[in-house]
Amino acid sequence: MSDTVIHIDNLENRFGTTVVHQGLNLSVMRGEILGVVGGSGTGKSVLLRSIVGLKPIDDGDIHVFGQRLAALDRRQRAAVERRFGVLFQQGALYSSLNLLENVALPLVEHTPLSRPEAEQIARMKLALVGLPAGAAEQMPAALSGGMIKRAALARALALDPDVLFLDEPTAGLDPISAARFDQLLLTLRDALGFSVFLVTHDLDTLYSVCDRVAVLARKQVLVADTLENVAATQDDWIQDYFHGPRGRAAYASMKENR
Amino acid sequence: MDDLSNTSGSSPGSVPSSAPLARIETNQQLTLSGTWTLAYFHAIKKQLSTHDAKHIERLSLEPVTQLDTAAAQLMIEWFGSERMQQQANHLPDQRRQLILSVIEALEVVAEAPETPARTGFQRLGDSLARLGQQVTALFTQQLYLLGFLGVVLAAFGRTFWRPGRWRLTATVAHIHQTGLNAVPIVVLLTFMVGAVVAFLGATVLTTFGATIYTVNLVVFSFLREFGVLLAAIMLAGRTASAFTAQLGAMKSNEEIDALRTQGLDPIELLVLPRVIALWVSLPLLAFIGTLSGMLGGAVVGAVSLDIPFAQFWQIVQRDISVRHLWVGLSKAPLFALVIAIIGCAEGFKVSGSAQSVGERTTSSVVQSIFMVILLDALAALYFMQMGW
């Protein structure tokens, strides 16, 4: 369980003259759920986009499954990216396709499966993330926020990825839906054994699902460790974050649940 | 397939992949081994189909190195979910959970009601219904446009007497975008069409020895029709689409709802400046286009028809009254209103999706060009009957 899936070494990211990351180091282990937190504008999403290859990095190295991303040619890179599943903040479901087609698309494009076979699997994935059977034929525009997140998760899981990237999966969900989503994530991770790179602001999610937490601040990862150790770190921002009123409430409810 | 299997095998920590295999071990036990993943989908299907599930009592999954949900689904569909559930009990925790989750998911899928296939008669009915829907949609569309026009005129009436509520900055900005920025393309377009008309006229008129009337042809057609029509079509393509996309993006971003909740009128803030800007721009562009088209004709005349500029100008002054310019330009404000109204109304009809923005933008360009040409034809009839 302890081998590294993603290893980030001395990463630097800039937008013009604004430096977002400098000397950033972080590892994601196999099968773990890593929560990434940080204030607004600390580059959590930029980090996610760098790893999945949406933003070219300015310096440093990212190793994925032991391969250096920058050294891969287009074909190898596509093969690596196929082992990623990404859930975007707004779901980013293709609005011209219904849910079934949304999930079946990567299957049809990347595997030798025929369309009926792909749709058969897609139906199973939609049910796997807890969507009712009737939802498969619906268009994304007709869905609620919670359902969109679930459908997007089903699409991210279409190719049975080794790493799942989630960008604020519970943002904009009501607490009940958010708690259900957390539970779903845990269940799926236990069953399917993928690693999760979870960008979130949701303290409840952080407390209930994450194995480790990485704190982004001052262009670097300040600390990446178990929640208890992170919360005990002597840093003003971390203390404010975990021991402010919201942090205390989430912590208390976690204690109750365990 | 090879590509997929290779890459998933080459990572550290994961077991090297090998083709999936299903083998009868003893009488009623089937032993599965190898990599049971999506990459081997068809191989798995083939392996399973060589055995008859009815004769198998026990599945041995222990030798399987990798198992994913897709392969589990095939396995369950082949072996039956109840029997699979029993088999899963012997497995290590993670694999059992995977199989149980997939079984659970498949149960949900099975609950889905089958949609009955449509018969030939029903399909005929469906297409008739679609035709009917399209006809009524066409009608409601025109009704909607008229309604929108009314709302815009009402807003115009409300704000006209109160200069404090005129959106001067926005209006001037839109005049800049829709008028000034369109000058080069309108000039180029009309210049070329002017040249083409001159060539056409020369070709036809030489046979009658009346080449000199090319001047009248070019000037007449541009003063009365082409100047304003070309400018209007250009704006319909360039500006109506821009209006639709701008307002559509605002609509789907809920900006228009935000304006309403703050007690602001989106028609007054967003639509009126655009309508007025186009109302100002199009006559000016039509005038510039007319001049440029005549210039195109004059250049062709001077270069290849032996009609020098001076003579061209003299004929224009002698033969053609300024009335034709007014006839042509009088259509410009009407066209501008139609283009702006259609562009904005379509923008307000955008709903949510990116596809909707595309559909509405197309629709706005097609509608506004169609309306401009239709109105121009009607106007031509009217002016002819009036003898103007």
Side-chain angles (χ1 to χ4, degrees):
Chain A
M1 282 295 266
S2 66
D3 48 348
T4 313
V5 184
I6 295 171
H7 182 72
I8 301 165
D9 196 20
N10 232 348
L11 175 74
E12 183 164 328
N13 266 320
R14 283 185 303 261
F15 288 107
T17 53
T18 321
V19 180
V20 185
H21 301 132
Q22 198 163 38
L24 184 146
N25 300 301
L26 184 66
S27 294
V28 183
M29 305 298 170
R30 182 171 298 275
E32 77 166 347
I33 299 184
L34 175 72
V36 177
V37 300
S40 299
T42 50
K44 302 181 295 291
S45 296
V46 177
L47 180 59
L48 189 154
R49 295 171 72 87
S50 308
I51 303 173
V52 299
L54 288 172
K55 185 197 177 299
I57 60 174
D58 291 301
D59 202 6
D61 270 327
I62 298 179
H63 293 263
V64 179
F65 310 120
Q67 295 157 299
R68 194 166 148 257
L69 264 194
L72 300 179
D73 63 28
R74 220 161 51 95
R75 230 173 72 95
Q76 292 168 315
R77 207 188 160 100
V80 166
E81 280 163 6
R82 247 175 266 166
R83 300 173 66 187
F84 288 159
V86 185
L87 169 57
F88 290 94
Q89 206 166 339
Q90 311 294 336
L93 292 173
Y94 308 122
S95 55
S96 52
L97 305 178
N98 68 26
L99 292 197
L100 188 65
E101 292 162 336
N102 256 291
V103 181
L105 181 72
L107 290 165
V108 172
E109 295 295 323
H110 283 316
T111 65
L113 267 60
S114 67
R115 182 158 278 279
E117 287 168 340
E119 293 195 344
Q120 193 186 358
I121 292 184
R123 276 186 202 280
M124 182 267 289
K125 302 271 167 172
L126 285 170
L128 198 63
V129 297
L131 285 168
E137 267 79 29
Q138 287 191 311
M139 300 301 283
L143 299 181
S144 68
M147 286 174 86
I148 285 177
K149 290 282 166 79
R150 278 167 190 262
L153 182 63
R155 189 180 68 182
L157 290 174
L159 293 172
D160 274 290
D162 292 327
V163 189
L164 193 60
F165 293 89
L166 308 177
D167 195 354
E168 309 220 4
T170 53
L173 297 189
D174 65 86
I176 300 171
S177 305
R180 280 207 197 116
F181 193 94
D182 291 346
Q183 199 50 49
L184 173 69
L185 187 62
L186 272 181
T187 315
L188 289 177
R189 194 277 307 260
D190 290 343
L192 308 180
F194 47 70
S195 316
V196 181
F197 183 98
L198 170 71
V199 172
T200 189
H201 270 308
D202 190 331
L203 283 154
D204 291 311
T205 303
L206 219 52
Y207 276 104
S208 56
V209 305
C210 291
D211 301 315
R212 284 197 312 146
V213 173
V215 179
L216 241 62
R218 298 193 285 278
K219 298 165 194 168
Q220 293 183 337
V221 174
L222 279 191
V223 54
D225 209 331
T226 60
L227 198 62
E228 282 79 11
N229 292 347
V230 170
T233 305
Q234 288 307 313
D235 177 89
D236 286 347
W237 191 84
I238 294 177
Q239 290 302 315
D240 278 354
Y241 191 85
F242 288 96
H243 303 288
R246 280 155 169 269
R248 277 200 306 273
Y251 184 66
S253 74
M254 178 197 70
K255 288 268 157 179
E256 246 169 60
N257 288 337
R258 287 205 174 162
Chain B
M1 184 145 107
D2 283 327
D3 178 28
L4 255 182
S5 54
N6 284 340
T7 49
S8 56
S10 62
S11 72
S14 74
V15 198
S17 67
S18 60
L21 196 66
R23 201 170 67 246
I24 301 269
E25 195 75 11
T26 58
N27 243 351
Q28 276 136 359
Q29 174 166 347
L30 190 68
T31 303
L32 311 180
S33 61
T35 317
W36 288 63
T37 57
L38 188 59
Y40 289 105
F41 192 82
H42 286 132
I44 291 169
K45 254 191 154 172
K46 210 169 139 212
Q47 282 288 325
L48 290 177
S49 66
T50 54
H51 301 283
D52 189 352
K54 272 181 280 186
H55 300 310
I56 309 294
E57 290 281 303
R58 225 183 84 78
L59 274 184
S60 165
L61 293 178
E62 282 80 8
V64 172
T65 50
Q66 281 180 47
L67 180 66
D68 71 3
T69 51
Q73 181 178 7
L74 282 180
M75 224 182 265
I76 293 159
E77 280 167 353
W78 175 77
F79 201 58
S81 50
E82 273 166 42
R83 291 207 291 162
M84 199 67 199
Q85 209 154 359
Q86 291 162 12
Q87 300 296 323
N89 287 336
H90 310 298
L91 292 172
D93 218 24
Q94 192 196 326
R95 211 158 265 185
R96 192 183 72 232
Q97 282 205 16
L98 184 144
I99 289 173
L100 293 182
S101 318
V102 175
I103 288 176
E104 218 170 287
L106 286 175
E107 275 164 8
V108 175
V109 173
E111 283 168 18
E114 290 281 315
T115 41
R118 311 284 282 171
T119 63
F121 190 64
Q122 278 170 320
R123 261 191 245 122
L124 179 71
D126 287 348
S127 53
L128 278 178
R130 260 198 302 280
L131 181 67
Q133 277 162 0
Q134 276 166 7
V135 171
T136 43
L138 200 68
F139 182 70
T140 44
Q141 163 68 14
Q142 303 315 316
L143 217 59
Y144 176 80
L145 269 186
L146 281 178
F148 197 83
L149 178 65
V151 171
V152 172
L153 288 180
F156 181 75
R158 272 200 309 278
T159 48
F160 185 76
W161 306 107
R162 279 181 262 172
R165 278 169 65 186
W166 291 359
R167 313 281 159 182
L168 267 186
T169 317
T171 311
V172 172
H174 284 300
I175 290 176
H176 182 122
Q177 276 171 19
T178 61
L180 193 60
N181 291 351
V183 167
I185 187 75
V186 168
V187 166
L188 185 66
L189 193 77
T190 46
F191 183 87
M192 290 192 294
V193 174
V196 170
V197 170
F199 273 125
L200 266 181
T203 318
V204 176
L205 294 172
T206 334
T207 23
F208 307 107
T211 315
I212 199 71
Y213 282 103
T214 303
V215 178
N216 298 56
L217 178 69
V218 171
V219 175
F220 256 116
S221 56
F222 267 89
L223 284 181
R224 292 185 71 106
E225 295 291 342
F226 284 170
V228 61
L229 193 63
L230 288 174
I233 289 177
M234 201 61 230
L235 279 204
R238 196 180 171 276
T239 309
S241 57
F243 284 178
T244 308
Q246 286 163 359
L247 294 180
M250 287 184 179
K251 179 87 189 292
S252 56
N253 197 23
E254 295 182 320
E255 286 172 52
I256 287 171
D257 297 336
L259 281 176
R260 286 213 171 97
T261 54
Q262 291 187 315
L264 299 166
D265 182 9
I267 301 287
E268 187 187 318
L269 256 72
L270 301 174
V271 179
L272 262 191
R274 287 178 167 79
V275 173
I276 292 171
L278 217 54
W279 210 63
V280 172
S281 301
L282 187 54
L284 296 174
L285 284 175
F287 182 67
I288 294 171
T290 306
L291 291 184
S292 162
M294 283 160 58
L295 185 67
V299 167
V300 169
V303 172
S304 59
L305 303 180
D306 289 329
I307 308 169
F309 280 119
Q311 196 186 352
F312 190 99
W313 185 234
Q314 195 203 338
I315 296 172
V316 173
Q317 280 192 316
R318 191 192 61 208
D319 285 0
I320 293 156
S321 95
V322 75
R323 190 185 76 229
H324 301 299
L325 178 67
W326 300 134
V327 165
L329 286 186
S330 67
K331 294 181 277 189
L334 182 66
F335 290 172
L337 191 66
V338 167
I339 294 168
I341 293 288
I342 290 176
C344 293
E346 288 295 314
F348 273 84
K349 276 163 76 180
V350 166
S351 62
S353 67
Q355 197 187 13
S356 165
V357 177
E359 276 169 10
R360 303 282 43 120
T361 309
T362 311
S363 160
S364 105
V365 173
V366 172
Q367 274 190 66
S368 47
I369 291 182
F370 175 79
M371 287 302 277
V372 161
I373 293 178
L374 179 73
L375 286 176
D376 192 60
L378 291 178
L381 278 178
Y382 175 75
F383 289 135
M384 201 176 69
Q385 289 297 318
M386 299 301 286
W388 287 347

